[in-house]
Amino acid sequence: MTSRDAALEVVRKLRDAGFEAFFAGGCVRDRLLGREPGDHDVATNAIPDQVQKLFRRTVAVGKQFGVIMVLVKDRQVEVATFRADAKYTDGRHPDSVTFSDLKSDVLRRDFTINGMMEDPVAGTVMDLVGGNADLQARLIRAIGDPDLRFDEDRLRMLRAVRFAAQLGFEIESSTLAAVRRRAAEVSSVSRERVREELEKILVSADPVRGLDLLRATGLLHPVLPAAATLPDDRWKRTVRVVEALTRRPFVLALAALLHDAGRPAAGTAARDLKLSNEERERVVWLVARYADPPRAASMRPSEWKPLLAHPGAPDLLELHRAIQTADGAPLDAYTLLTGYLARPDLDPPRLITGDDLLALGVPRGPRIGEILQTVREAQLNGEVANAEEARAMAARLLGGP
Ligand code: ATP
Ligand code: MG
């Protein structure tokens, strides 16, 4: 069953019980744009208790805000009671909500293109805020006074940029002016939400538009200070690198965005944005290593083999390729190393272990690690071929200084 069919079933059932019910927000926008909606949200004048009574399988996901999840076959449909949001004191969550009518539910939404309702039974669109005209004009425009709307919820400023990047739209001028005035206030938005929006911008169809908007509005400072403080020429080059990526998983795109800021700044930014440890380590590794591939020709196998055996190697090579492309520099190291990626001898089983060394009489301590490392390098360089030769080398090293 499609998401739309599931939501249609919910609308029909609410209507049959005498309530008003519509598709609302993003799904209406996406259908008018000919994009596949991620999900279909239903808005209704039924209050949560009434919704829960009407449907057999429900989850009270956000009952205090009027949101009930209705399960239809294998689908989940969010059903939200028409509401007006009361004052926001934390700039993020409404302090309380009042259940209301369709009109105030439209007016509490963020942008005109997100403010339309669809009657899927009659096949009509209800557009009280000029959303369709803005879709045609490809504009992100706040509903109502943009200053007040961004004061209520600062996350909306990032959403404006995110929709511009996803849809390739412009931000309407008075909305844009309000973002510029209030950009610094985004520092009070939770880092998890900031990360979510930055991620959506980086993986969007037009990340360059998003990044340029972040920088031009001043939003980049609270979002990614390390990138915001780059001088203009280095910022422009950084954006060209992001643009040159042929695939943009979040971690790779973020590493591209931070590579010029350097490894400590990248670590701080990743920590700030609450990336998982694994994500953070990968970003930092990419930023620390991006300059290695150009040195490949002068590297010994004991250097390039571990680099290529690392799980981040395909991303590292892609980052390197993007940097070279942005700089108009040659791709021979990229071509060479990409060819090596599939080699079966990048990470061969070790020929000797710490236990072997202990058995040879080496006392516990740092010397063990040093010998293992030296033997490993010799193995990767083809100077030691089997366990016997490895033990002989270890014995030689032991006899030496
Ligand atoms: P996406 O494709 O990212 O899901 P969407 O428009 O569906 O886009 P959601 O975050 O799922 O975005 O929100 C659904 C709808 O709720 C929006 O279309 C908008 O009408 C409203 N909305 C969401 N977040 C806000 C907000 N911070 N302030 C006001 N209205 C909002
Ligand atoms: Mg949505």
Side-chain angles (χ1 to χ4, degrees), residues 43-70:
T44 179
N45 65 347
I47 62 171
D49 283 330
Q50 294 170 320
V51 175
Q52 284 180 304
K53 270 209 196 87
L54 199 56
F55 295 92
R56 202 163 48 83
R57 293 192 298 149
T58 61
V59 185
V61 284
K63 201 169 173 183
Q64 70 278 28
F65 301 113
V67 184
I68 301 289
M69 177 91 76
V70 175

PDB file of all heavy atoms in Angstrom, residues 43-70:
ATOM      1  N   ALA A  43      -4.283  16.543   8.419  1.00  0.00           N
ATOM      2  CA  ALA A  43      -4.719  17.533   9.401  1.00  0.00           C
ATOM      3  C   ALA A  43      -6.239  17.427   9.520  1.00  0.00           C
ATOM      4  O   ALA A  43      -6.936  17.240   8.525  1.00  0.00           O
ATOM      5  CB  ALA A  43      -4.311  18.942   8.963  1.00  0.00           C
ATOM      6  N   THR A  44      -6.735  17.563  10.739  1.00  0.00           N
ATOM      7  CA  THR A  44      -8.173  17.336  10.977  1.00  0.00           C
ATOM      8  C   THR A  44      -8.685  18.200  12.115  1.00  0.00           C
ATOM      9  O   THR A  44      -7.889  18.681  12.927  1.00  0.00           O
ATOM     10  CB  THR A  44      -8.417  15.841  11.330  1.00  0.00           C
ATOM     11  OG1 THR A  44      -9.810  15.639  11.593  1.00  0.00           O
ATOM     12  CG2 THR A  44      -7.641  15.438  12.578  1.00  0.00           C
ATOM     13  N   ASN A  45     -10.014  18.378  12.175  1.00  0.00           N
ATOM     14  CA  ASN A  45     -10.577  19.069  13.344  1.00  0.00           C
ATOM     15  C   ASN A  45     -10.944  18.079  14.453  1.00  0.00           C
ATOM     16  O   ASN A  45     -11.398  18.476  15.521  1.00  0.00           O
ATOM     17  CB  ASN A  45     -11.775  19.935  12.959  1.00  0.00           C
ATOM     18  CG  ASN A  45     -12.951  19.117  12.448  1.00  0.00           C
ATOM     19  OD1 ASN A  45     -12.801  17.928  12.145  1.00  0.00           O
ATOM     20  ND2 ASN A  45     -14.123  19.748  12.345  1.00  0.00           N
ATOM     21  N   ALA A  46     -10.750  16.778  14.212  1.00  0.00           N
ATOM     22  CA  ALA A  46     -10.965  15.799  15.291  1.00  0.00           C
ATOM     23  C   ALA A  46      -9.857  15.972  16.325  1.00  0.00           C
ATOM     24  O   ALA A  46      -8.700  16.164  15.957  1.00  0.00           O
ATOM     25  CB  ALA A  46     -10.927  14.380  14.733  1.00  0.00           C
ATOM     26  N   ILE A  47     -10.207  15.928  17.609  1.00  0.00           N
ATOM     27  CA  ILE A  47      -9.169  16.038  18.631  1.00  0.00           C
ATOM     28  C   ILE A  47      -8.558  14.650  18.874  1.00  0.00           C
ATOM     29  O   ILE A  47      -9.154  13.635  18.496  1.00  0.00           O
ATOM     30  CB  ILE A  47      -9.726  16.663  19.943  1.00  0.00           C
ATOM     31  CG1 ILE A  47     -10.815  15.780  20.541  1.00  0.00           C
ATOM     32  CG2 ILE A  47     -10.246  18.080  19.701  1.00  0.00           C
ATOM     33  CD1 ILE A  47     -11.240  16.228  21.935  1.00  0.00           C
ATOM     34  N   PRO A  48      -7.372  14.600  19.495  1.00  0.00           N
ATOM     35  CA  PRO A  48      -6.654  13.323  19.620  1.00  0.00           C
ATOM     36  C   PRO A  48      -7.501  12.174  20.172  1.00  0.00           C
ATOM     37  O   PRO A  48      -7.445  11.060  19.651  1.00  0.00           O
ATOM     38  CB  PRO A  48      -5.499  13.678  20.545  1.00  0.00           C
ATOM     39  CG  PRO A  48      -5.215  15.115  20.229  1.00  0.00           C
ATOM     40  CD  PRO A  48      -6.546  15.739  19.959  1.00  0.00           C
ATOM     41  N   ASP A  49      -8.312  12.442  21.209  1.00  0.00           N
ATOM     42  CA  ASP A  49      -9.139  11.363  21.767  1.00  0.00           C
ATOM     43  C   ASP A  49     -10.093  10.806  20.722  1.00  0.00           C
ATOM     44  O   ASP A  49     -10.326   9.597  20.662  1.00  0.00           O
ATOM     45  CB  ASP A  49      -9.937  11.874  22.976  1.00  0.00           C
ATOM     46  CG  ASP A  49      -9.053  11.976  24.221  1.00  0.00           C
ATOM     47  OD1 ASP A  49      -8.092  11.174  24.318  1.00  0.00           O
ATOM     48  OD2 ASP A  49      -9.316  12.857  25.063  1.00  0.00           O
ATOM     49  N   GLN A  50     -10.641  11.702  19.912  1.00  0.00           N
ATOM     50  CA  GLN A  50     -11.573  11.256  18.866  1.00  0.00           C
ATOM     51  C   GLN A  50     -10.850  10.440  17.801  1.00  0.00           C
ATOM     52  O   GLN A  50     -11.380   9.449  17.303  1.00  0.00           O
ATOM     53  CB  GLN A  50     -12.273  12.475  18.237  1.00  0.00           C
ATOM     54  CG  GLN A  50     -13.187  13.189  19.229  1.00  0.00           C
ATOM     55  CD  GLN A  50     -13.697  14.532  18.712  1.00  0.00           C
ATOM     56  OE1 GLN A  50     -12.963  15.295  18.073  1.00  0.00           O
ATOM     57  NE2 GLN A  50     -14.967  14.830  18.996  1.00  0.00           N
ATOM     58  N   VAL A  51      -9.621  10.856  17.476  1.00  0.00           N
ATOM     59  CA  VAL A  51      -8.834  10.099  16.489  1.00  0.00           C
ATOM     60  C   VAL A  51      -8.531   8.708  17.048  1.00  0.00           C
ATOM     61  O   VAL A  51      -8.678   7.690  16.360  1.00  0.00           O
ATOM     62  CB  VAL A  51      -7.518  10.841  16.148  1.00  0.00           C
ATOM     63  CG1 VAL A  51      -6.644   9.998  15.217  1.00  0.00           C
ATOM     64  CG2 VAL A  51      -7.822  12.200  15.508  1.00  0.00           C
ATOM     65  N   GLN A  52      -8.144   8.659  18.311  1.00  0.00           N
ATOM     66  CA  GLN A  52      -7.817   7.360  18.912  1.00  0.00           C
ATOM     67  C   GLN A  52      -9.015   6.438  18.994  1.00  0.00           C
ATOM     68  O   GLN A  52      -8.887   5.223  18.878  1.00  0.00           O
ATOM     69  CB  GLN A  52      -7.213   7.561  20.308  1.00  0.00           C
ATOM     70  CG  GLN A  52      -5.762   8.026  20.246  1.00  0.00           C
ATOM     71  CD  GLN A  52      -5.157   8.239  21.613  1.00  0.00           C
ATOM     72  OE1 GLN A  52      -5.686   9.010  22.415  1.00  0.00           O
ATOM     73  NE2 GLN A  52      -4.063   7.569  21.892  1.00  0.00           N
ATOM     74  N   LYS A  53     -10.216   7.026  19.190  1.00  0.00           N
ATOM     75  CA  LYS A  53     -11.432   6.200  19.248  1.00  0.00           C
ATOM     76  C   LYS A  53     -11.774   5.621  17.889  1.00  0.00           C
ATOM     77  O   LYS A  53     -12.244   4.494  17.774  1.00  0.00           O
ATOM     78  CB  LYS A  53     -12.617   7.048  19.732  1.00  0.00           C
ATOM     79  CG  LYS A  53     -12.767   7.022  21.229  1.00  0.00           C
ATOM     80  CD  LYS A  53     -14.228   7.208  21.664  1.00  0.00           C
ATOM     81  CE  LYS A  53     -14.288   7.566  23.137  1.00  0.00           C
ATOM     82  NZ  LYS A  53     -14.168   9.027  23.356  1.00  0.00           N
ATOM     83  N   LEU A  54     -11.502   6.416  16.857  1.00  0.00           N
ATOM     84  CA  LEU A  54     -11.950   6.057  15.508  1.00  0.00           C
ATOM     85  C   LEU A  54     -11.087   4.960  14.874  1.00  0.00           C
ATOM     86  O   LEU A  54     -11.578   4.158  14.086  1.00  0.00           O
ATOM     87  CB  LEU A  54     -11.910   7.324  14.644  1.00  0.00           C
ATOM     88  CG  LEU A  54     -12.716   7.350  13.367  1.00  0.00           C
ATOM     89  CD1 LEU A  54     -14.176   7.039  13.648  1.00  0.00           C
ATOM     90  CD2 LEU A  54     -12.582   8.729  12.717  1.00  0.00           C
ATOM     91  N   PHE A  55      -9.787   4.932  15.229  1.00  0.00           N
ATOM     92  CA  PHE A  55      -8.886   3.970  14.580  1.00  0.00           C
ATOM     93  C   PHE A  55      -8.437   2.914  15.587  1.00  0.00           C
ATOM     94  O   PHE A  55      -8.217   3.215  16.757  1.00  0.00           O
ATOM     95  CB  PHE A  55      -7.681   4.689  13.976  1.00  0.00           C
ATOM     96  CG  PHE A  55      -8.062   5.625  12.856  1.00  0.00           C
ATOM     97  CD1 PHE A  55      -8.332   6.963  13.115  1.00  0.00           C
ATOM     98  CD2 PHE A  55      -8.190   5.151  11.560  1.00  0.00           C
ATOM     99  CE1 PHE A  55      -8.702   7.826  12.091  1.00  0.00           C
ATOM    100  CE2 PHE A  55      -8.560   6.003  10.531  1.00  0.00           C
ATOM    101  CZ  PHE A  55      -8.813   7.342  10.795  1.00  0.00           C
ATOM    102  N   ARG A  56      -8.313   1.695  15.073  1.00  0.00           N
ATOM    103  CA  ARG A  56      -7.995   0.577  15.945  1.00  0.00           C
ATOM    104  C   ARG A  56      -6.549   0.657  16.420  1.00  0.00           C
ATOM    105  O   ARG A  56      -6.254   0.471  17.590  1.00  0.00           O
ATOM    106  CB  ARG A  56      -8.233  -0.726  15.174  1.00  0.00           C
ATOM    107  CG  ARG A  56      -8.460  -1.959  16.023  1.00  0.00           C
ATOM    108  CD  ARG A  56      -9.084  -3.091  15.192  1.00  0.00           C
ATOM    109  NE  ARG A  56      -8.375  -3.272  13.926  1.00  0.00           N
ATOM    110  CZ  ARG A  56      -7.252  -3.987  13.794  1.00  0.00           C
ATOM    111  NH1 ARG A  56      -6.709  -4.585  14.825  1.00  0.00           N
ATOM    112  NH2 ARG A  56      -6.664  -4.113  12.605  1.00  0.00           N
ATOM    113  N   ARG A  57      -5.628   0.945  15.494  1.00  0.00           N
ATOM    114  CA  ARG A  57      -4.206   0.936  15.865  1.00  0.00           C
ATOM    115  C   ARG A  57      -3.639   2.356  15.811  1.00  0.00           C
ATOM    116  O   ARG A  57      -3.509   2.945  14.732  1.00  0.00           O
ATOM    117  CB  ARG A  57      -3.416   0.033  14.917  1.00  0.00           C
ATOM    118  CG  ARG A  57      -3.796  -1.457  15.064  1.00  0.00           C
ATOM    119  CD  ARG A  57      -2.802  -2.341  14.334  1.00  0.00           C
ATOM    120  NE  ARG A  57      -2.769  -2.072  12.899  1.00  0.00           N
ATOM    121  CZ  ARG A  57      -1.691  -2.210  12.132  1.00  0.00           C
ATOM    122  NH1 ARG A  57      -0.543  -2.579  12.661  1.00  0.00           N
ATOM    123  NH2 ARG A  57      -1.754  -1.962  10.842  1.00  0.00           N
ATOM    124  N   THR A  58      -3.329   2.904  16.984  1.00  0.00           N
ATOM    125  CA  THR A  58      -2.782   4.268  17.031  1.00  0.00           C
ATOM    126  C   THR A  58      -1.642   4.323  18.043  1.00  0.00           C
ATOM    127  O   THR A  58      -1.550   3.496  18.935  1.00  0.00           O
ATOM    128  CB  THR A  58      -3.852   5.295  17.494  1.00  0.00           C
ATOM    129  OG1 THR A  58      -4.271   4.945  18.816  1.00  0.00           O
ATOM    130  CG2 THR A  58      -5.046   5.319  16.562  1.00  0.00           C
ATOM    131  N   VAL A  59      -0.771   5.326  17.862  1.00  0.00           N
ATOM    132  CA  VAL A  59       0.278   5.592  18.833  1.00  0.00           C
ATOM    133  C   VAL A  59       0.222   7.084  19.146  1.00  0.00           C
ATOM    134  O   VAL A  59       0.220   7.915  18.231  1.00  0.00           O
ATOM    135  CB  VAL A  59       1.684   5.242  18.269  1.00  0.00           C
ATOM    136  CG1 VAL A  59       2.744   5.403  19.351  1.00  0.00           C
ATOM    137  CG2 VAL A  59       1.710   3.828  17.685  1.00  0.00           C
ATOM    138  N   ALA A  60       0.181   7.402  20.438  1.00  0.00           N
ATOM    139  CA  ALA A  60       0.078   8.818  20.833  1.00  0.00           C
ATOM    140  C   ALA A  60       1.465   9.450  20.811  1.00  0.00           C
ATOM    141  O   ALA A  60       2.074   9.702  21.840  1.00  0.00           O
ATOM    142  CB  ALA A  60      -0.548   8.928  22.216  1.00  0.00           C
ATOM    143  N   VAL A  61       1.998   9.713  19.613  1.00  0.00           N
ATOM    144  CA  VAL A  61       3.386  10.169  19.489  1.00  0.00           C
ATOM    145  C   VAL A  61       3.604  11.572  20.033  1.00  0.00           C
ATOM    146  O   VAL A  61       4.664  11.889  20.543  1.00  0.00           O
ATOM    147  CB  VAL A  61       3.901  10.107  18.033  1.00  0.00           C
ATOM    148  CG1 VAL A  61       4.208   8.673  17.645  1.00  0.00           C
ATOM    149  CG2 VAL A  61       2.922  10.739  17.061  1.00  0.00           C
ATOM    150  N   GLY A  62       2.607  12.443  19.864  1.00  0.00           N
ATOM    151  CA  GLY A  62       2.776  13.820  20.341  1.00  0.00           C
ATOM    152  C   GLY A  62       1.424  14.368  20.752  1.00  0.00           C
ATOM    153  O   GLY A  62       0.994  15.418  20.301  1.00  0.00           O
ATOM    154  N   LYS A  63       0.793  13.613  21.646  1.00  0.00           N
ATOM    155  CA  LYS A  63      -0.607  13.915  21.952  1.00  0.00           C
ATOM    156  C   LYS A  63      -0.781  15.338  22.477  1.00  0.00           C
ATOM    157  O   LYS A  63      -1.757  16.015  22.150  1.00  0.00           O
ATOM    158  CB  LYS A  63      -1.146  12.899  22.966  1.00  0.00           C
ATOM    159  CG  LYS A  63      -2.658  12.800  22.974  1.00  0.00           C
ATOM    160  CD  LYS A  63      -3.152  11.616  23.785  1.00  0.00           C
ATOM    161  CE  LYS A  63      -4.676  11.685  23.882  1.00  0.00           C
ATOM    162  NZ  LYS A  63      -5.217  10.594  24.716  1.00  0.00           N
ATOM    163  N   GLN A  64       0.192  15.812  23.270  1.00  0.00           N
ATOM    164  CA  GLN A  64       0.035  17.173  23.817  1.00  0.00           C
ATOM    165  C   GLN A  64       0.054  18.230  22.722  1.00  0.00           C
ATOM    166  O   GLN A  64      -0.467  19.318  22.897  1.00  0.00           O
ATOM    167  CB  GLN A  64       1.069  17.455  24.916  1.00  0.00           C
ATOM    168  CG  GLN A  64       2.505  17.598  24.460  1.00  0.00           C
ATOM    169  CD  GLN A  64       3.217  16.247  24.261  1.00  0.00           C
ATOM    170  OE1 GLN A  64       2.608  15.218  23.969  1.00  0.00           O
ATOM    171  NE2 GLN A  64       4.535  16.248  24.391  1.00  0.00           N
ATOM    172  N   PHE A  65       0.668  17.894  21.560  1.00  0.00           N
ATOM    173  CA  PHE A  65       0.635  18.807  20.409  1.00  0.00           C
ATOM    174  C   PHE A  65      -0.463  18.415  19.427  1.00  0.00           C
ATOM    175  O   PHE A  65      -0.566  18.974  18.339  1.00  0.00           O
ATOM    176  CB  PHE A  65       1.977  18.817  19.675  1.00  0.00           C
ATOM    177  CG  PHE A  65       3.126  19.229  20.549  1.00  0.00           C
ATOM    178  CD1 PHE A  65       4.120  18.329  20.873  1.00  0.00           C
ATOM    179  CD2 PHE A  65       3.191  20.516  21.058  1.00  0.00           C
ATOM    180  CE1 PHE A  65       5.175  18.709  21.700  1.00  0.00           C
ATOM    181  CE2 PHE A  65       4.237  20.904  21.885  1.00  0.00           C
ATOM    182  CZ  PHE A  65       5.230  19.997  22.207  1.00  0.00           C
ATOM    183  N   GLY A  66      -1.235  17.389  19.774  1.00  0.00           N
ATOM    184  CA  GLY A  66      -2.344  17.001  18.914  1.00  0.00           C
ATOM    185  C   GLY A  66      -1.969  16.002  17.841  1.00  0.00           C
ATOM    186  O   GLY A  66      -2.695  15.840  16.862  1.00  0.00           O
ATOM    187  N   VAL A  67      -0.828  15.324  17.998  1.00  0.00           N
ATOM    188  CA  VAL A  67      -0.388  14.418  16.932  1.00  0.00           C
ATOM    189  C   VAL A  67      -0.566  12.955  17.349  1.00  0.00           C
ATOM    190  O   VAL A  67      -0.036  12.522  18.368  1.00  0.00           O
ATOM    191  CB  VAL A  67       1.085  14.670  16.544  1.00  0.00           C
ATOM    192  CG1 VAL A  67       1.475  13.768  15.372  1.00  0.00           C
ATOM    193  CG2 VAL A  67       1.304  16.135  16.182  1.00  0.00           C
ATOM    194  N   ILE A  68      -1.313  12.218  16.555  1.00  0.00           N
ATOM    195  CA  ILE A  68      -1.530  10.788  16.771  1.00  0.00           C
ATOM    196  C   ILE A  68      -1.048  10.059  15.518  1.00  0.00           C
ATOM    197  O   ILE A  68      -1.333  10.482  14.399  1.00  0.00           O
ATOM    198  CB  ILE A  68      -3.037  10.485  16.973  1.00  0.00           C
ATOM    199  CG1 ILE A  68      -3.598  11.250  18.173  1.00  0.00           C
ATOM    200  CG2 ILE A  68      -3.272   8.972  17.109  1.00  0.00           C
ATOM    201  CD1 ILE A  68      -3.128  10.766  19.526  1.00  0.00           C
ATOM    202  N   MET A  69      -0.314   8.990  15.727  1.00  0.00           N
ATOM    203  CA  MET A  69       0.101   8.161  14.598  1.00  0.00           C
ATOM    204  C   MET A  69      -0.932   7.076  14.401  1.00  0.00           C
ATOM    205  O   MET A  69      -1.253   6.345  15.339  1.00  0.00           O
ATOM    206  CB  MET A  69       1.457   7.540  14.939  1.00  0.00           C
ATOM    207  CG  MET A  69       1.979   6.610  13.897  1.00  0.00           C
ATOM    208  SD  MET A  69       2.995   7.514  12.744  1.00  0.00           S
ATOM    209  CE  MET A  69       4.478   7.735  13.713  1.00  0.00           C
ATOM    210  N   VAL A  70      -1.458   7.000  13.178  1.00  0.00           N
ATOM    211  CA  VAL A  70      -2.427   5.941  12.874  1.00  0.00           C
ATOM    212  C   VAL A  70      -1.731   4.902  12.005  1.00  0.00           C
ATOM    213  O   VAL A  70      -1.048   5.242  11.032  1.00  0.00           O
ATOM    214  CB  VAL A  70      -3.659   6.519  12.131  1.00  0.00           C
ATOM    215  CG1 VAL A  70      -4.598   5.392  11.703  1.00  0.00           C
ATOM    216  CG2 VAL A  70      -4.394   7.520  13.022  1.00  0.00           C
TER     217      VAL A  70
END
